[in-house]
Every structure is written in C-alpha cells, then in structure tokens.
Amino acid sequence: MKSHIAKFSLAFLGTAALGSAVIAVSMGVHSGMQDSKMPVPADKAEADKMAAALLEYKCAACHANDAKPNSLLNALSLGLMQRHVDNAKRAFLLKPDRTLRSGAIDYLKMDRVLSTRRMPPASYTAVHLGSALTMKDVAVLRHRYTEDGAQARMFQPIAPAAKPVSQADRAKVLLGQLLYNDTRLSTTNGVACASCHDLTKGGTDNKPKSEGVPGADGKPQLGGVNAPTVFNAAGHICQFWDGRAADLKEQAGGPPLNPVEMGYEFPEDWQAIAEKLKKDDRLVALFLLAYGNKEINGDTITDAIAAYEKTLVTPGSDFDRYLNGDTTALTAEQKKGMMKFVNYGCATCHAGPALGGISFEHINTHADLRELATKGIPGSHQGRAVDGTCKGCHGDAVPVAEQAEYKEGAFGRMDFTKNPEHKDLFRVPTLRNVALTGPYFHTGTVSRLEDAVRIMCMTENAMDPSAADVEQITAFLKAQTGKLNGIPLDRLTPGDVAPPATDDLTSPAQAAK
C-alpha cells in the first residue's frame, strides 16, 4: 500500500515540476507567509523526498485515488471517516484526473488549503494523532511547488486570436462566420448558432433557457440549461456544462442534431443540411477554397464553425491591461475586489486566462447551489422587483414562482459519463465578460451578478460575504469586459459582428484557384 501511495505522490510531484504551481505564494495574498521563512532543503532531490513523504503519510490517507477509511474508526466516528475520504476525493486527487481538472487547478487547491490551514480538518486530526501539518510541513510543500513553478500564474491575460495565415484559412474562418449565422442549419430555417450565442449579448442570449425550434404546441422548445458564452471557449477543457464535447468542432455538431435546438436528430440529417447549403454559390466557393474536393458535410461544416469560433477571443479588458503592466487600469475598488476574489478562494477554480473553463467542480460543496439559485438567498431580494418578478438582464423577467418550482434535469458531468461520482459536477464557467452574460449558473435563474457572487461564496467556501466585499468583487468582475476586434463587447452592434456582404475570396478567379 505504501509503495502504491508513493507512486501517486511522485506522480503528483512530477506534474508539479512541469510548472503547475500557484501565483498565490508569489503574490503574498494568503496568510501563512511565515511558512516560507521556515528552513527547507535547498537540494532538489532532498526536497522531493521530504514532500513525497508528507504526501504519502499525511495527504494520501484521504486524497489517494484508492483511499479508504479504517472500518473500525469509521464505525466509531459514525461515518465521519468515510465523509472525510469522500470529500477529499471530490476536492482533488494525488493522481489527478485530467479529464476533470487541469494540473494548475490541483495545485491551486493544495496551496489554498496549505495557506489557510484548513486541512486536515480538526475532526480528522482528533482521531489521527500526528496527522496535522506542522509549519515545517507546510513550508516544505509550498516551497517545493513554488520553486518548480515560479513562472506559473493564477491570472493570465487573454491573448489575441491568431490571424489566418493562408487563403484557405481565411476562407475557412469566413465560411465559419457565415455558417454560425446561417439559420439553414435548422429544420425551420429559423434558428442559427447566433440565435443562442449572440455576440452582442456577451456570446449568450441573456435568457434563462435558450429557445429552439417550435414543438408540437407551436411554441419554441427550451433547452435544459442556460447557454454558456461562446467567447474564449477555445481554451476550455471541453465544451458544454457537462463536457460531452471534447472541442469546439464536436460542440458545433451538437445543436443541429438536437430535436429541441435546431430540430434535426440523426447523423444522416447532415445530408439534408448540406443540400440546402449547396444552393448558395458563395458558400460553395468558400467550401472549395477551404476544403478543396472534400464534400460539404457534417465534418466540414462543423470544422469551419469551429475555426471561426476560435477567433472569438476578447483581449483588451481593463484587467488585461492591468496584468500587462498598467497599474492604473483598475480602480482602487477593483483592486480590493481582486484581493477579495483571491482571499475568498474564487481564484482557486476561476483561474487561467479565461478565469475558469479548465476544470469541473461540484456545485454543492458547502450548500446546495440549486436551492439558493432557484429559491433565493435568505434575506436577499435576489433581483426581485416590486411587481413580484425577478428582473433578468436587459429587462427580461423571470417569475419568482417559476424559480421556486424549478426542476433541474441536468446533473452535470454524470449526464455524460454515467458515473455516480460525477453527479452535480459542472464545468467551471469563464468569468471573462461575466457582467454581460447573465442570468447566471446552469439554472439561468440568478439575474444579479452580486447575488451570483454571494451564492458561490456560500456554496464553495461556506462563507457569507459582507455587502461591501460582494460589491468590491463585483467591481473587479466588471473589469473583465474585453474587446472583439478592438471594439468593447458592451458596445458591439449587429453590424460589427455580421458577416461581410462581399469579399475577395469568392470572386470567380479566386474560386478557380
């Protein structure tokens, strides 16, 4: 057993050596900085040995992939030991599951609990004498990761999209833009990708649930969850709330063959879509330029849409400017909010360039998100207006009665993997442009960003933040609004994102090439 755990420990340390350590240490925003002053081995091999031993004899009791509680202790503690192990595995494992979290998130989580001294819990150390981490233990672990990952960063600016380097690439992106806005991908010729992912609305539709093709009653059918933003999605660990699509190309193939969204249902239905597109001379010319003699089919259609969506990145926010060295880009209030964002633990999961999108997390670690998101926070109006409605973004109203009766059929990652351990495990959403993408959560039932901030602090950190802290964190999040092709997202007009009416790529001479 010890050798097995040691392998996990070495794998954990080995991954850390690739540069997945945390910025929190170098930023100095956490408590416990005195740990860094403790004497630690200067020799890398010795540091590895000490850190591996700590992981094996202390952390692995709960965080090893095959960790199990002692049956006698578990019985005497009325199941407390089993709960410790279950909760530990939900948080992170010494041998990370890369389909659920990037390496950086695992180490951010470890640094968080090391710096706040929240692990092991007191109830665990009470029955496991000697299991508590000493100051020297914490110093060894944090020093080990800091030294190996000095260049890793919790926050990173969004990089501009790469420009097409060839005529074929240009044709593919333009073709993808046209298809993204083409309603012929639906059975009714009335629903396009842009219908639910409107670039002038933060890459969403600002509705609790998106509207698809009409059902038997003639009314638009509603999707099961709130539509996430398309902006910056190329950098996500995978696509959809449950991660059922590995990349943007696979994601683009989902809605057309969804009977609720665009109406088609079977793989052979791509032929029907292709026949409609073949009647458009401009599209045919662009397909020829981009894909040569390949057919117009589901593969080339989704590939083109994905090529366009990869260009939908939003650099140039005030926060990006701050990260690139402009210390005046954030207000004093936003800087305070950034520190609160880190200190409350938000940045542990909302990390990386997109501030999220690179891991799956449970939505009910300390409280039930669905309960708070659909029935409201006790003592909070949660966006309720005097007429008894919950005012949604841009004036849309969601009846409070509907929130209270809300029944959620989606259970996150489990819906795709069918693994019961993945129930209520959802992909962490990006916080880039979050001020524009409400209503919030997969439920689509929280209209105010301030309420979303408070709910997350309660469910993920067991903390009910003060009104001042919520306002400061919200101010920081409002600094995330970026630009598309140099235009601030909150100023985009339909004309700014519409495909060009003409172009030099589809002239007869170009098409002949």
Side-chain angles (χ1 to χ4, degrees), residues 98 115 125 137 175 230 320 376 436 461 467 473 506:
R98 297 302 179 204
S115 58
T125 58
D137 294 340
L175 175 60
V230 71
D320 286 322
L436 308 178
N461 241 343
I473 293 174
T506 52

Side-chain angles (χ1 to χ4, degrees), residues 266-333:
F266 304 105
E268 54 267 29
D269 289 334
W270 281 114
Q271 185 60 37
I273 296 173
E275 290 303 319
K276 288 193 287 185
L277 299 180
K278 288 177 181 178
K279 297 177 181 179
D280 188 320
D281 291 339
R282 187 187 187 194
L283 287 183
V284 171
L286 285 170
F287 268 109
L288 181 62
L289 281 170
Y291 295 102
N293 293 325
K294 289 185 179 180
E295 295 183 5
I296 299 177
N297 54 30
D299 180 67
T300 50
I301 291 170
T302 56
D303 187 70
I305 293 174
Y308 170 63
E309 290 181 337
K310 289 176 183 177
T311 71
L312 300 180
V313 295
T314 60
S317 70
D318 291 341
F319 189 49
D320 286 322
R321 290 169 47 218
Y322 177 83
L323 292 175
N324 285 320
D326 184 356
T327 58
T328 66
L330 297 183
T331 66
E333 192 79 352

Side-chain angles (χ1 to χ4, degrees), residues 61-116:
C62 291
H63 291 284
N65 298 57
D66 61 352
K68 295 180 180 179
N70 179 282
S71 57
L72 177 59
L73 284 176
N74 188 53
L76 292 175
S77 66
L78 303 178
L80 180 62
M81 296 298 100
Q82 184 67 60
R83 291 195 292 275
H84 282 145
V85 172
D86 291 344
N87 289 337
K89 289 184 175 181
R90 280 164 57 106
F92 70 90
L93 294 168
L94 296 184
K95 186 178 180 181
D97 182 346
R98 297 302 179 204
T99 66
L100 297 180
R101 298 183 183 98
S102 75
I105 297 299
D106 290 298
Y107 301 110
L108 286 169
K109 287 189 172 190
M110 171 168 272
D111 184 75
R112 172 74 181 167
V113 299
L114 287 174
S115 58
T116 60

Side-chain angles (χ1 to χ4, degrees), residues 31 50 103-104 131 146 151 206 257 279 315 326 338 343 348 373 388 391 397-398 406 408 446 462 476 487 496 513:
S31 61
M50 290 183 66
S131 63
T146 304
Q151 301 305 313
N206 295 139
L257 301 189
K279 297 177 181 179
D326 184 356
M338 178 179 67
N343 290 335
T348 304
K391 298 300 289 183
V398 183
Y406 175 80
E408 177 56 56
V446 177
F476 168 65
I487 304 174
D496 294 325
K513 295 180 182 180

Side-chain angles (χ1 to χ4, degrees), residues 174 177-178 181 199-200 282 308 484 492-501:
L174 176 57
Q177 183 180 17
L178 290 167
N181 291 276
L199 303 188
T200 67
R282 187 187 187 194
Y308 170 63
L484 181 67
L492 281 178
T493 67
D496 294 325
V497 297

